[in-house]
Amino acid sequence: MYRNTHKRRKPRGQDYGAAWISYSDMTAALLVIFVMVLIYSIYQYFIVMEVKTKEISEKEAMLSAQQATLDEQEALLAAQLAKINEQEGTLSSQQDTLESQNTEIITKASELAAAQSKLSEQQAQLDALSVKLEEQQKQLDIQAATLASTAKELDSKNAQLTAAQADLAQRERDLNSTLVQVAKQEDMLRTQQERIDELVGVKTSIIQDLSLALRQNNLKATVDSKTGDIVLESAIFFDTGKFGIKRSGLQLLNKFLPVYFDVLTRKEYIDFLGEIIIEGHTDTVGTYINNLELSQQRALSVVKAALQLDGLTEAQRELMRSIITAKGKSFSSPILNADGTVNLDASRRVEFKFRLKDSEMISEINEILNNMPSPAPKEGE
């Protein structure tokens, strides 16, 4: 379920990247439109200015022509005045003509003054337009600088987006690899858990069968419900400071060991049985080394007695030799009273333990798994 849930989810980073790309495209389009409108406005302005300039040039040409005409008329007038001096008889008619010409000259002069006034107005307009054009150029420079800064920032964000997309892709690859490893580990753990469950079930059955067999044979020995360990008092087997088994100890072993071995070597358990351990324990009187030697010798004496039991076939003895072990524990695991003091009598004991195959390895695996931190929740969980 965990693996399938993660495969259906899509990372949010892709929608976020698409939004940024759309935003950058829209911003670029607006900037292009703005620049085109501005260029068109400047182009229209120069066209109008060119038309006005052309009109002024035409009027100046016309004024020049009129001036030339005036000059000609003045020359003609001079000629006429000369002629008047010569021809006094025609003065009246010529005077009328002159007055008419003077009126026309006044009209032309008035028109020229009006043209000059209009030219001055157009010059003022041209100056105002030049100032406005300079202001617009400044604004255009500012907008161009802003556009360059925006483009640079956009390039930086695009680079960041590209890096983020590459990082996201790498994370997805790492996640897929991790999921594959997790799936393999889950399969391995499932197999190990099945083996653990099988061993736990076998161990529980052995403990139950041991308890039942001991009760049926009237043997006063307690089986630990969790470990299956059986503790027998050392005083039954050995005198103080000795490791030779007493008669009472041999009698107990002759009753206890056949029952113990019979349960452990049953056909439903024999394939799981890995080891039988005989542990000797002492009290805390004396040195650790002396007690270690004594406990080891006592455990070895019990093992020898077990291997020499009457009724064992050679095959059974060979099996016992392959799985039975003697261990001396000195006073490393004393039995304590309720007040915390050492119970000397209870500490002097012999323990019978069994181990199933793979049990130690599985115990270590369980300990590692129990100490492992829980995985951190993934984003979106």
Side-chain angles (χ1 to χ4, degrees):
M1 181 180 294
Y2 176 81
R3 177 177 58 198
N4 292 336
T5 301
H6 282 75
K7 284 185 176 179
R8 290 176 187 148
R9 290 199 176 117
K10 295 182 179 178
R12 296 180 178 176
Q14 294 178 355
D15 294 339
Y16 181 76
W20 265 111
I21 293 173
S22 299
Y23 175 75
S24 64
D25 292 341
M26 180 181 69
T27 304
L30 289 175
L31 289 174
V32 171
I33 293 171
F34 176 76
V35 171
M36 291 178 65
V37 169
L38 183 59
I39 293 172
Y40 178 76
S41 299
I42 295 172
Y43 176 75
Q44 290 295 322
Y45 168 74
F46 279 104
I47 290 176
V48 170
M49 187 174 67
E50 184 178 357
V51 171
K52 295 295 181 181
T53 302
K54 185 176 181 181
E55 290 178 357
I56 292 172
S57 299
E58 290 175 353
K59 288 183 178 181
E60 287 178 350
M62 183 177 64
L63 183 60
S64 298
Q66 291 175 353
Q67 184 66 40
T69 302
L70 183 60
D71 293 339
E72 292 176 357
Q73 290 176 354
E74 288 179 350
L76 180 62
L77 181 60
Q80 288 177 353
L81 287 174
K83 190 175 181 180
I84 287 172
N85 293 329
E86 296 176 355
Q87 298 177 352
E88 292 179 355
T90 58
L91 180 62
S92 296
S93 58
Q94 291 178 347
Q95 185 67 36
D96 292 338
T97 304
L98 181 61
E99 289 177 357
S100 176
Q101 291 176 347
N102 284 336
T103 301
E104 186 178 357
I105 290 172
I106 291 171
T107 301
K108 295 294 183 182
S110 178
E111 291 177 356
L112 179 60
Q116 289 177 343
S117 176
K118 188 174 182 180
L119 180 61
S120 299
E121 292 177 358
Q122 291 177 347
Q123 184 63 41
Q125 292 176 357
L126 182 60
D127 294 339
L129 289 174
S130 297
V131 173
K132 187 175 182 181
L133 180 61
E134 291 178 357
E135 293 178 353
Q136 290 178 346
Q137 184 63 40
K138 290 180 181 179
Q139 292 179 356
L140 182 61
D141 293 339
I142 294 173
Q143 290 174 351
T146 304
L147 179 62
S149 177
T150 303
K152 184 177 181 181
E153 183 179 357
L154 183 60
D155 292 339
S156 177
K157 289 183 178 180
N158 286 335
Q160 293 177 358
L161 178 60
T162 302
Q165 289 174 342
D167 182 65
L168 179 60
Q170 182 61 41
R171 289 177 180 270
E172 289 179 351
R173 289 192 294 270
D174 293 342
L175 178 60
N176 292 332
S177 177
T178 301
L179 290 176
V180 172
Q181 293 179 359
V182 168
K184 291 180 180 179
Q185 291 177 353
E186 287 178 349
D187 292 338
M188 181 182 67
L189 292 177
R190 188 180 300 108
T191 301
Q192 293 174 345
Q193 186 61 47
E194 292 174 355
R195 181 62 176 172
I196 290 171
D197 294 340
E198 184 179 18
L199 290 175
V200 169
V202 170
K203 190 168 188 177
T204 301
S205 297
I206 291 175
I207 292 172
Q208 293 174 351
D209 289 347
L210 279 175
S211 299
L212 178 61
L214 292 175
R215 286 197 304 271
Q216 290 176 346
N217 287 275
N218 296 322
L219 290 169
K220 297 180 180 180
T222 303
V223 182
D224 189 292
S225 59
K226 294 181 179 180
T227 64
D229 298 346
I230 299 175
V231 178
L232 299 178
E233 294 181 5
S234 180
I236 300 176
F237 296 98
F238 310 104
D239 291 326
T240 302
K242 305 295 184 181
F243 58 85
I245 302 178
K246 298 190 297 184
R247 182 181 296 274
S248 60
L250 290 174
Q251 291 175 349
L252 177 58
L253 288 177
N254 287 330
K255 293 181 180 179
F256 169 76
L257 289 176
V259 175
Y260 188 70
F261 290 157
D262 177 68
V263 173
L264 293 180
T265 57
R266 290 178 183 176
K267 63 180 180 179
E268 61 267 30
Y269 303 141
I270 188 62
D271 291 336
F272 294 93
L273 186 62
E275 186 180 20
I276 296 176
I277 304 168
I278 310 299
E279 285 186 354
H281 296 262
T282 66
D283 56 29
T284 56
V285 177
T287 65
Y288 176 84
I289 295 300
N290 289 336
N291 282 300
L292 180 62
E293 293 177 351
L294 180 61
S295 63
Q296 182 67 38
Q297 290 171 339
R298 287 179 172 178
L300 184 59
S301 296
V302 174
V303 170
K304 290 179 179 179
L307 294 176
Q308 294 173 358
L309 281 176
D310 294 335
L312 289 180
T313 65
E314 186 59 32
Q316 290 174 326
R317 285 192 175 89
E318 183 64 27
L319 174 63
M320 289 298 105
R321 283 194 291 266
S322 65
I323 62 175
I324 199 166
T325 303
K327 290 186 179 180
K329 303 290 288 184
S330 187
F331 51 71
S332 59
S333 301
I335 304 298
L336 303 179
N337 295 313
D339 59 0
T341 59
V342 176
N343 187 327
L344 299 178
D345 292 335
S347 296
R348 294 188 294 268
R349 66 195 187 278
V350 176
E351 293 188 7
F352 293 81
K353 301 181 178 182
F354 67 90
R355 295 287 181 269
L356 301 180
K357 294 177 181 178
D358 300 332
S359 62
E360 293 182 359
M361 178 191 69
I362 293 175
S363 297
E364 291 177 0
I365 293 174
N366 281 332
E367 183 177 356
I368 293 173
L369 293 177
N370 291 332
N371 292 331
M372 285 178 62
S374 301
K378 304 293 185 300
E379 182 179 357
E381 289 187 348

